[in-house]
Amino acid sequence: MYRYFLFSLLVLFCAVQGAAAEGEKLVLVGSGAPDAKDALLIEYLEKWGYVVEPHEHLEKHPVKLTGIDFVFISESTSSANILDAYKDVNVPVINAETWTYDDMGFAPDGTFNSDAGDKITIVNDEHPITEGFKGDITVSKPAAQLMTCNGFEGEIEVLAVREDMDDFVALSVYEQGAKTLKGSTKARHVNIWPHSTGWNMVTDDGWELIHRSILYAIGAIPFDVAPQDKLAVTWARIKASNFR
């Protein structure tokens, strides 16, 4: 399909420019070091060329990040154990544990949802993470819990929402320096939807979006033009203006 061809060209371009992600090292935060639920995630991360350093959520966080290129927070993490530990780190964060969003200053408590679902709807197909994807995308087969939020605040870029409840955001980005409820970010934060019990249900499209989320977070795929849809408003106001 066209999007795979386009994505391959992007990765090839980055490789030629010396920006490929091969050998990048990440901290994986989960409920074990590692949790068995994250085994398939680790398999994909290693297949993509990353070096995985697992840490359990009962450790002191943030862990030492010297030599670390990014942090990946799995949903297997209990939010009460890490709270806002990765709010102000200087490396990008990919976050699938929605219940940390209030601690991070992204959204108020009580605005999170983890109902089962199988599709997300792309609402911004011009972002490098979602470029080439349009409309409803099956990201889980069969349906699995989707980690989403309808209370985002600050300078958030909404990329995709639940197909069946389109006020709940499934894929979003806070750029470095973006305003939040608790200040501003020190690095990029990409918020993703997969639940740790559903890694084996993620579709090829879902895995591609996860991979692109990492590549974008660490700057391995470019965004040459300033995003036109970056909104310094609350998600409630986005909904009120029918942002679809």
Side-chain angles (χ1 to χ4, degrees), residues 110-211:
T111 64
F112 316 135
N113 182 277
S114 59
D115 290 351
D118 61 352
K119 294 182 178 66
I120 64 175
T121 300
I122 304 300
V123 296
N124 180 355
D125 60 8
E126 296 182 352
H127 192 281
I129 293 175
T130 50
E131 187 173 5
F133 286 91
K134 294 183 182 296
D136 297 340
I137 305 298
T138 299
V139 293
S140 181
K141 191 174 182 179
Q145 288 178 269
L146 305 181
M147 306 299 288
T148 60
C149 172
N150 73 345
F152 279 117
E153 303 267 357
E155 295 178 323
I156 181 151
E157 297 172 48
V158 176
L159 306 184
V161 299
R162 283 187 66 116
E163 179 269 337
D164 55 348
M165 293 188 288
D166 62 8
D167 55 336
F168 282 89
V169 178
L171 182 59
S172 60
V173 176
Y174 283 98
E175 291 291 346
Q176 181 180 7
K179 293 179 182 178
T180 69
L181 290 171
K182 295 187 177 181
S184 59
T185 57
K186 304 293 191 299
R188 278 178 177 162
H189 288 254
V190 182
N191 305 308
I192 60 176
W193 74 91
H195 195 279
S196 63
T197 60
W199 290 123
N200 64 341
M201 284 91 108
V202 175
T203 63
D204 289 344
D205 282 344
W207 283 116
E208 184 180 349
L209 287 168
I210 294 166
H211 192 192

Side-chain angles (χ1 to χ4, degrees), residues 24-155:
E24 301 279 357
K25 188 173 184 180
L26 69 110
V27 158
L28 174 64
V29 181
S31 56
D35 188 301
K37 288 186 290 188
D38 292 323
L40 184 59
L41 168 64
I42 292 171
E43 182 180 322
Y44 270 85
L45 290 168
E46 292 178 340
K47 180 178 72 173
W48 293 331
Y50 302 117
V51 177
V52 180
E53 181 180 297
H55 289 270
E56 65 171 327
H57 57 188
L58 294 178
E59 298 178 39
K60 183 179 179 180
H61 290 275
V63 299
K64 186 177 180 181
L65 297 177
T66 303
I68 297 298
D69 296 290
F70 66 98
V71 173
F72 194 115
I73 302 174
S74 169
E75 181 282 330
S76 68
T77 305
S78 172
S79 61
N81 287 313
I82 66 168
L83 298 173
D84 65 351
Y86 293 95
K87 176 173 71 74
D88 293 324
V89 296
N90 292 315
V91 299
V93 179
I94 294 89
N95 193 352
E97 173 49 334
T98 306
W99 268 259
T100 63
Y101 293 170
D102 55 332
D103 303 301
M104 297 283 226
F106 297 162
D109 194 11
T111 64
F112 316 135
N113 182 277
S114 59
D115 290 351
D118 61 352
K119 294 182 178 66
I120 64 175
T121 300
I122 304 300
V123 296
N124 180 355
D125 60 8
E126 296 182 352
H127 192 281
I129 293 175
T130 50
E131 187 173 5
F133 286 91
K134 294 183 182 296
D136 297 340
I137 305 298
T138 299
V139 293
S140 181
K141 191 174 182 179
Q145 288 178 269
L146 305 181
M147 306 299 288
T148 60
C149 172
N150 73 345
F152 279 117
E153 303 267 357
E155 295 178 323

